Amino acid sequence: MVRRLTEWSTGPLPEPVAPEVDVDPALLLAYLDAQVQSRHLDLALRWLQAQREGFYTIGSAGHESNAAVALALRPTDPALLHYRSGGFYAARAGQVPGATGITDVLHSAAASRRDPISGGRHKVFGHRALNIVPQTSTIASHLPRAVGMAFALGRGTNPTGYPDDAVVVSSFGDASANHSTAAGALNAAGWCAHQGLPLPLLLVCEDNGIGISTRSPRGWIRRALSALPGIEYVAADGTDPARLLATAAEVAHRVRSTRRPAVLHLGTVRFMGHAGSDAELAYRSRAEILADHARDPILATAALLAHRGILTPAETLDRYEHARKLVTEQAQLLLGRVERLDSAAAVTAPLTARRVPEVRAAARRSGAGRDRAFGGKLPEHRGPLTLAQSINAALHDALLSFPAAQVFGEDVARKGGVYGVTRGLRKAFGAGRVFDTLLDEQTILGVALGGALAGTLPIPEIQYLAYLHNAEDQLRGEAASLRFFSAGQYQNGMVVRIAGLAYQKGFGGHFHNDNSVAVLRDIPGLALAVASHPATAPALLRQCLALAEQEGRVCVFLEPIALYHQRDLHADGDGGWLAPYPAPADWPAAPLGEVRTVRDGDDLALVTFGNGVPMSLRTAGALAADGVQARVVDLQWLAPLPTESLHAALRGVDRVLVVDETRRSGGVSEAVVTALVDGGFAGRIARVTSVDSYVPLGPAADRVLLRDPDVLTAARALLG
């Protein structure tokens, strides 16, 4: 690079691609400065790795033309960037007085506490003051969030204070454009545009023609992106700086003014392999690599500057060397001086739950407008309710209590949900707060992720637990990780309602009777609550909403489908699974994150949740006939497991049976038994579970699912 610039100072200058395009000289200089800063940072990161002070070498070399996108936008436009967006970051930092783009990136790669976004937790492009939201960008997983944020801003949902005409920009690579997450996000953007819904979204595909070592078929990305319905497609060449700067500005202006999405297909090259350990010669010829070096975007900018008479090659080289000196000095200053996270508490601090205030403020806010929202039929005057009816009433009150709350998902608005749980919400609160989405779980969660960044309190619904697995990375890799990767500076609190678990008699098979929650229980920072009874479900939902609103927590509220419309417990007509709905003034100050003792007894404790609660109560009734007094404890929270509260609830009992409707392997009971042993429970412990199997259709389900007789048999065996 330096050699070629030096040769230019005495030899003929190459002609720039588009000398006729008029570009402000100051803009060209800002573009060059961002490019060379990014390039030297890539070199510095490899040097730091060699000194054992750096831990990240996936660079942006060859992609520096993405700086043009930043220069076409405003620093108030939220940006969700992938890992080769170093040029964008440098250009955005250059737009904000006092920004320290060089040290930001160096400290991030060195896992330094002074990294301004993650505090040393990970190398990500992000900065609160630059409106760059940190993304792990695992194969375009951030694109649904980008669509969701643009959707929220397009609807005028913006309590966070972004400008009314803000544009959301998100970058991704050509290889990741093939991933289902990218395909779903692009489809959702087109789906919105097709209906005329405002969506101020600029998607930037940085196409270097290769994904690690696998080539993208020639012309494939252009064909795929240009065929998207409702989305403007614009191609630009990263080696044509004048036309690129003009094109990026034009596209950004159109997105801003029309509030319609666009894709900028940016042709780039990739230098130095995928990362520091990648030897390109193993899969690319020397001629291919040299051909890419001839397309260096920095050389193209230097040629244009020389042709315009703005800088001579020697002056460009001086500017290049000045940037090298700045980056090198800052990198050398890091050696031996990096302060890193030195304890588990420091690393996980942003994930530690605080006790949120009891939900009394929500009760006060709920009072106004309740009569109108419920159509004059207040739930506290309707008599005992089923679980579905009590959750429905709690959702009405949630939308009254939390002004930023929105309920959305497949079938939740006009139909009122497959099981009627959201019935009447759209009529009471309008399509702005209760709306149907397209059939795509990734998009549903993406709308929640982006909406939360824009200041809403999302309550998305996943219609069945089995279908969460189509999109679980949106919770694991995007939702729950944001507070970690931003050291608590960003949060996306939400309450994801999921209709799930088994026992729908004769209906649905596995996809409507999924009894596995393992994927949710081990996500750091995610709170998982399971409703069981209409008397306690509303308070549990309000606790989740308070966690989401006040702590930015990602909460999952799991609703057992088989209990939605159950009315009886022991015998037909006993009404044992109904409960009155309390008025806001009577809402209990339920402690956060605690178990609930449903029935008392000292001979045996049945620890359970969800469908296991009525099974355990029926078992306790049968044992009472034998003179055995069984205690029934409803866990309520499966993550984090309320171990302290559980131990307190088991005092005075020396036998515990964990009644677990999930599978024996990877099921909830494994965690409960471990918690009891680790906590020093001295009594006998046993567990009874469902079988390690998918749930079959019809009566065959009885062969694999936990049933009442299984619980009673296990309880008697433990007592014997």
Side-chain angles (χ1 to χ4, degrees):
M1 173 73 182
V2 175
R3 179 180 60 81
R4 283 192 291 253
L5 281 171
T6 304
E7 289 172 352
W8 283 7
S9 65
T10 57
L13 298 177
E15 289 292 323
V17 177
E20 74 284 356
V21 178
D22 186 33
V23 181
D24 183 355
L27 182 63
L28 275 174
L29 291 174
Y31 183 51
L32 174 69
D33 288 343
Q35 288 182 303
V36 296
Q37 182 186 116
S38 179
R39 179 67 58 85
H40 284 304
L41 280 168
D42 282 345
L43 297 171
L45 297 192
R46 296 188 176 223
W47 179 78
L48 283 172
Q49 184 191 44
Q51 306 303 313
R52 299 185 178 181
E53 289 279 17
F55 305 95
Y56 193 91
T57 57
I58 298 179
S60 305
H63 280 241
E64 292 90 354
S65 50
N66 58 37
V69 181
L71 294 172
L73 296 166
R74 303 168 185 165
T76 52
D77 291 324
L80 295 78
L81 307 176
H82 84 324
Y83 49 69
R84 297 201 192 279
S85 297
F88 184 107
Y89 190 88
R92 173 64 65 90
Q95 294 173 313
V96 179
T100 54
I102 292 174
T103 55
D104 291 351
V105 175
L106 291 173
H107 280 287
S108 183
S112 164
R113 284 180 180 265
R114 290 182 57 195
D115 165 27
I117 189 62
S118 79
R121 291 171 179 81
H122 203 276
K123 163 63 174 69
V124 286
F125 286 119
H127 199 297
R128 183 80 192 194
L130 303 181
N131 289 299
I132 299 177
V133 184
Q135 303 299 311
T136 56
S137 61
T138 51
I139 321 298
S141 61
H142 59 304
L143 295 191
R145 184 201 296 269
V147 173
M149 192 174 190
F151 178 76
L153 295 182
R155 289 162 61 91
T157 306
N158 187 20
T160 47
Y162 288 106
D164 291 341
D165 64 347
V167 168
V168 178
V169 61
S170 188
S171 56
F172 61 103
D174 56 290
S176 59
N178 298 297
H179 198 271
S180 64
T181 311
L186 291 165
N187 177 75
W191 189 83
C192 290
H194 178 73
Q195 299 179 87
L197 299 174
L199 196 77
L201 176 65
L202 176 57
L203 295 166
V204 183
C205 179
E206 300 181 17
D207 185 356
N208 61 31
I210 194 167
I212 305 183
S213 67
T214 304
R215 289 173 174 80
S216 294
R218 187 178 297 276
W220 166 247
I221 299 300
R222 175 184 293 271
R223 182 172 185 176
L225 297 180
S226 63
L228 296 169
I231 303 178
E232 179 185 4
Y233 169 85
V234 179
D237 184 353
T239 62
D240 186 353
R243 185 167 287 134
L244 170 59
L245 287 163
T247 299
E250 291 168 1
V251 174
H253 173 72
R254 281 198 295 274
V255 173
R256 193 181 306 281
S257 59
T258 66
R259 319 305 282 164
R260 293 181 63 83
V263 170
L264 177 63
H265 183 192
L266 178 58
T268 66
V269 291
R270 189 192 74 188
F271 298 150
M272 299 191 291
H274 175 70
S277 59
D278 181 31
E280 281 191 294
L281 285 172
Y283 54 87
R284 300 184 75 195
S285 69
R286 178 180 175 83
E288 287 177 307
I289 295 172
L290 290 176
D292 271 356
H293 278 280
R295 299 176 56 226
D296 191 320
I298 299 179
L299 293 177
T301 305
L304 183 62
L305 288 165
H307 182 84
R308 297 282 174 90
I310 300 170
L311 290 179
T312 66
E315 289 170 331
T316 298
L317 184 58
D318 287 343
R319 214 169 181 108
Y320 183 87
E321 286 297 306
H322 177 68
R324 182 192 64 79
K325 183 179 179 181
L326 288 176
V327 172
T328 301
E329 286 177 349
Q330 292 299 320
Q332 289 173 337
L333 284 174
L334 283 178
L335 294 182
R337 297 183 177 91
V338 179
E339 295 182 15
R340 297 196 172 95
L341 299 170
D342 55 6
S343 70
V347 174
T348 61
L351 303 180
T352 302
R354 302 182 302 273
R355 289 185 66 88
V356 301
E358 294 168 351
V359 195
R360 291 295 188 176
R364 289 193 296 271
R365 292 195 300 261
S366 178
R370 287 189 82 239
D371 192 69
R372 179 184 56 79
F374 283 103
K377 300 177 181 178
L378 295 176
E380 56 266 36
H381 299 157
R382 291 171 54 192
L385 305 181
T386 63
L387 178 63
Q389 291 168 334
S390 70
I391 294 175
N392 176 271
L395 287 171
H396 276 79
D397 274 324
L399 288 167
L400 288 166
S401 305
F402 298 89
Q406 295 181 338
V407 173
F408 53 88
E410 183 193 352
D411 298 318
V412 304
R414 290 185 181 277
K415 181 179 176 67
V418 172
Y419 297 96
V421 180
T422 57
R423 185 171 296 146
L425 290 177
R426 184 178 184 274
K427 181 179 179 181
F429 297 98
R433 299 189 66 192
V434 182
F435 52 90
D436 290 319
T437 66
L438 69 171
L439 196 161
D440 177 33
E441 287 75 20
Q442 289 183 144
T443 296
I444 293 170
L445 294 177
V447 169
L449 287 162
L453 283 177
T456 70
L457 178 57
I459 311 176
E461 178 185 294
I462 301 297
Q463 196 167 103
Y464 292 101
L465 177 60
Y467 296 108
L468 171 69
H469 307 307
N470 300 334
E472 61 196 34
D473 186 55
Q474 289 297 297
L475 293 181
R476 176 184 297 276
E478 294 295 323
S481 69
L482 183 61
R483 296 176 70 221
F484 179 84
F485 288 116
S486 68
Q489 297 177 73
Y490 281 98
Q491 58 189 31
N492 42 209
M494 66 184 69
V495 179
V496 183
R497 293 180 47 250
I498 303 179
L501 299 176
Y503 302 101
Q504 291 195 79
K505 296 179 180 178
F507 174 73
H510 164 68
F511 287 103
H512 299 84
N513 284 282
D514 188 4
N515 63 345
S516 174
V517 296
V519 72
L520 294 169
R521 284 178 35 247
D522 74 338
I523 299 177
L526 182 143
L528 171 59
V530 183
S532 63
H533 194 274
T536 55
L540 199 60
L541 178 59
R542 284 189 285 271
Q543 287 178 347
C544 287
L545 287 164
L547 277 171
E549 182 194 52
Q550 298 171 32
E551 285 195 1
R553 277 302 193 102
V554 177
C555 300
V556 172
F557 188 71
L558 186 57
E559 302 167 10
I561 297 173
L563 299 181
Y564 269 152
H565 304 300
Q566 183 167 321
R567 306 179 68 85
D568 305 319
L569 176 60
H570 296 288
D572 291 345
D574 68 12
W577 220 249
L578 300 173
Y581 184 86
D586 299 324
W587 285 355
L592 175 66
E594 294 193 4
V595 303
R596 176 177 68 102
T597 299
V598 184
R599 174 177 174 143
D600 211 355
D602 295 332
D603 297 323
L604 168 72
L606 304 173
V607 177
T608 188
F609 62 95
N611 291 289
V613 177
M615 278 192 278
S616 295
L617 286 171
R618 286 190 289 268
T619 296
L623 292 173
D626 300 337
V628 174
Q629 296 303 312
R631 187 178 305 178
V632 177
V633 176
D634 182 359
L635 288 169
Q636 297 193 109
W637 300 88
L638 302 187
L641 199 65
T643 53
E644 183 179 340
S645 174
L646 176 60
H647 279 279
L650 296 178
R651 290 193 186 111
V653 180
D654 61 2
R655 289 176 174 84
V656 172
L657 176 65
V658 183
V659 180
D660 179 8
E661 65 180 283
T662 66
R663 301 168 191 167
R664 188 166 188 82
S665 300
V668 174
S669 58
E670 290 182 342
V672 175
V673 171
T674 301
L676 292 175
V677 173
D678 287 350
F681 182 78
R684 294 177 61 189
I685 306 172
R687 63 189 179 117
V688 59
T689 72
S690 293
V691 175
D692 287 344
S693 170
Y694 293 101
V695 180
L697 188 66
D702 293 344
R703 305 300 179 188
V704 301
L705 292 177
L706 180 66
R707 313 296 295 183
D708 284 28
D710 304 323
V711 180
L712 183 59
T713 299
R716 285 173 171 161
L718 185 59
L719 289 164

